[in-house]
Amino acid sequence: MIIMMPSSRCILEAEKIWEEPLEGIEEDKFITHTAAYYYDIFAEQTPEIHMWVTDYCHIMQNHEQILDFLRGAAFTPYQSRLDEEEMQVFAEEVLARIKEEYPTRKNGTVLFPFRRLFLTGQK
């Protein structure tokens, strides 16, 4: 089973407004797999495996903070293919989708949850 965070879907949907400049960017850059998938990879190398899942939930003051969070590693493949003006349009497209995906709470904040899987092994 393949897992994708909602914020990753927002980026991929915004990506569709361009065809040529973004051609060739890895389609699976935001895809993760289940814990069992990664466990099986580790189990081929070692019987001593430790794994755990942590759910993080950032409380953002607005949707723009989620966009700023994503501007790091998630935007890297796009920055080398789009000029400054195109990146601005791209960011606006992503932001519009973020606003749809992550509702504003009653107090005006926005919850930005995400899950991380950690694995360690020893040979």
Side-chain angles (χ1 to χ4, degrees), residues 80-95:
S80 64
R81 294 179 180 240
L82 300 174
D83 64 30
E84 192 173 319
E85 186 178 312
E86 291 170 327
M87 273 305 297
Q88 181 62 36
V89 172
F90 179 72
E92 290 169 8
E93 290 288 331
V94 173
L95 181 60

Side-chain angles (χ1 to χ4, degrees), residues 12-108:
L12 290 175
E13 289 171 10
E15 183 180 295
K16 294 176 185 174
I17 64 173
W18 286 276
E19 288 181 18
E20 194 172 308
L22 300 180
E23 191 174 316
I25 291 181
E26 294 177 36
E27 293 292 320
D28 61 351
K29 64 188 160 287
F30 298 117
I31 293 173
T32 55
H33 300 276
T34 64
Y37 174 87
Y38 295 108
Y39 174 85
D40 288 341
I41 292 171
F42 268 59
E44 290 177 5
Q45 303 297 316
T46 179
E48 190 172 329
I49 300 169
H50 301 278
M51 57 191 305
W52 65 98
V53 173
T54 300
D55 287 318
Y56 295 94
C57 192
H58 287 291
I59 301 170
M60 304 296 203
Q61 296 306 306
N62 52 49
H63 292 97
E64 288 77 6
Q65 282 189 326
I66 295 174
L67 183 66
D68 289 342
F69 184 93
L70 298 173
R71 284 185 194 270
F75 272 32
T76 301
Y78 305 100
Q79 292 169 337
S80 64
R81 294 179 180 240
L82 300 174
D83 64 30
E84 192 173 319
E85 186 178 312
E86 291 170 327
M87 273 305 297
Q88 181 62 36
V89 172
F90 179 72
E92 290 169 8
E93 290 288 331
V94 173
L95 181 60
R97 287 159 175 81
I98 288 170
K99 288 178 179 180
E100 292 174 12
E101 190 69 43
Y102 298 93
T104 302
R105 310 314 308 167
K106 289 180 183 179
N107 66 356

